[in-house]
Amino acid sequence: MSEELENIEVLIIGSGPAGYTAAIYAARADLNPVVIQGLQPGGQLTTTTEVDNYPGYPNGVDGTKMMEDFKAQAERFDTDTRWGMVTKVDFSERPFKVEIDGTKNVMAETVIISTGATAKWLGIPDEERLNGFGVSACAVCDGFFYKGQEVVVVGAGDTAAEEATYLAKLCTKVTMLVRRDEMRASKAMQKRVFNTDNITVLFNHETKSINGEKGVESVTAFNNQTQEETVIPATGFFVAIGHKPNTDIFKGQLEMDDNGYLIVEPGTSKTQIPGVFAAGDVADHVYRQAVTSAGTGCMAALDAERFLAAQE
Ligand code: NDP
């Protein structure tokens, strides 16, 4: 006898701004959404301190508090928020079969994927120790706190180049640590970096330590050719060595770009599988902001609602 599985109208995977905004919209449309929170309930914002750029919070808000507010708003309309990790999906036929925590299966008429992306870190101990106290992976989020100060950016791709030029407008000096003798960033982005007076690029340089007890005070870098060390005064340390979208469980089922980001039909949240939608950083390597994630979460809920209406 086959087991009777719970059938969910809108299953939302992930609980960052995209997931909860999708839940608010889906719940208000009486679609009884279920949010599977994932490994990091609240998502990346719970790892930052103050969020100053989300509209509606004139005095800023703690990232964790903001995500508690998102959750409370979704639950006010009876969103069912559940602990757990989605471990397997089968998008070959609808309703879709979704496995949670490797043990439990549910069926879903529609799925909204908002699993986000994870910033890559260098993996040195100081980075973890001072995370949120000078160490950051998002210049647009945290750069303002270093206005008029000196900072270090690690990385050599488009993100690092973009973060360095963004920070150069706020900070007195930006030092970029590039581990090879050239940058990976596009020529146009490199040109912007080299044309900015207060950015210094140190090629062949890597991070030895981030110094300071309660906050970042300086960074010790070393030249990987000569081993010579340099101590760079800095109050901010920005790691911009890429993000990894959380899409491993969708491999082979959904279209992705070379970096693993989900591909959606432009201007919509639709993946190539009808009834499966993507929102937030998992499908966006360019903007990656809480407010853009929330916006695409709204789109995904409206797309799911229209999809379900069209099935009736
Ligand atoms: P990338 O993977 O392109 O670049 C990562 C950079 O970090 C590389 O230069 C790499 O060095 C460096 N790096 C990796 N690990 C370490 C380490 N342990 N220590 C020091 N340096 C390290 O990531 P991005 O986030 O920059 O870009 C991701 C994608 O998004 C790209 O396709 C990019 O073009 C795109 N993008 C586009 C933007 C735009 O169009 N405006 C803006 C931002 C991103 P190495 O070169 O030696 O491997």
Side-chain angles (χ1 to χ4, degrees), residues 43-265:
Q44 289 181 79
L45 278 177
T46 59
T47 66
T48 63
T49 44
E50 196 77 355
V51 179
D52 259 349
N53 55 7
Y54 199 89
Y57 289 101
N59 301 315
V61 60
D62 176 82
T64 303
K65 167 77 174 76
M66 185 167 119
M67 292 322 300
E68 282 166 5
D69 286 349
F70 269 65
K71 181 168 183 263
Q73 192 172 353
E75 289 180 344
R76 197 179 124 214
F77 301 108
D78 295 333
T79 294
D80 181 348
T81 322
R82 299 183 189 171
W83 290 101
M85 272 288 283
V86 169
T87 36
K88 207 193 271 176
V89 292
D90 179 356
F91 291 152
S92 60
E93 58 177 346
R94 228 175 49 88
F96 308 114
K97 195 172 184 183
V98 176
E99 182 194 79
I100 299 162
D101 291 334
T103 50
K104 186 177 185 294
N105 288 309
V106 295
M107 304 305 282
E109 294 295 334
T110 61
V111 172
I112 295 176
I113 300 169
S114 48
T115 47
T118 308
K120 292 183 192 162
W121 296 96
L122 296 173
I124 58 174
D126 296 328
E127 192 179 48
E128 203 174 323
R129 181 174 64 84
L130 292 165
N131 198 339
F133 300 93
V135 172
S136 165
C138 179
V140 179
C141 319
D142 299 329
F144 186 78
F145 304 116
Y146 304 94
K147 206 171 173 177
Q149 301 170 43
E150 299 184 16
V151 297
V152 167
V153 174
V154 181
D158 280 332
T159 302
E162 204 165 69
E163 301 228 347
T165 44
Y166 178 85
L167 289 164
K169 293 198 189 95
L170 300 166
C171 304
T172 49
K173 187 174 178 198
V174 178
T175 305
M176 279 185 86
L177 302 181
V178 172
R179 68 178 173 183
R180 288 186 294 130
D181 60 357
E182 61 175 3
M183 286 174 72
R184 181 187 294 273
S186 61
K187 289 283 174 263
M189 293 297 290
Q190 289 193 37
K191 207 166 153 193
R192 279 177 64 191
V193 167
F194 295 128
N195 286 343
T196 306
D197 288 339
N198 59 340
I199 300 180
T200 304
V201 181
L202 298 180
F203 288 102
N204 292 124
H205 273 73
E206 295 179 45
T207 311
K208 178 161 187 238
S209 61
I210 312 163
N211 314 313
E213 279 307 310
K214 294 208 168 77
V216 176
E217 289 167 10
S218 67
V219 173
T220 306
F222 68 99
N223 183 313
N224 55 27
Q225 306 294 304
T226 63
Q227 307 308 316
E228 194 185 331
E229 292 184 8
T230 313
V231 177
I232 307 159
T235 49
F237 182 82
F238 290 86
V239 181
I241 60 172
H243 284 76
K244 186 183 179 304
N246 301 318
T247 53
D248 287 352
I249 55 168
F250 310 115
K251 280 198 178 124
Q253 301 197 58
L254 292 177
E255 278 174 16
M256 300 177 189
D257 69 12
D258 292 344
N259 295 315
Y261 286 89
L262 297 182
I263 294 176
V264 292
E265 188 183 305

Side-chain angles (χ1 to χ4, degrees), residues 8 10-12 22-24 26-27 30-35 78-81:
I8 294 165
V10 179
L11 180 77
I12 299 169
I24 292 166
D30 272 342
L31 296 175
N32 309 308
V34 172
V35 174
D78 295 333
T79 294
D80 181 348
T81 322

Side-chain angles (χ1 to χ4, degrees), residues 260-282:
Y261 286 89
L262 297 182
I263 294 176
V264 292
E265 188 183 305
T268 77
S269 67
K270 296 175 190 169
T271 68
Q272 94 274 19
I273 298 194
V276 179
F277 307 92
D281 288 8
V282 74

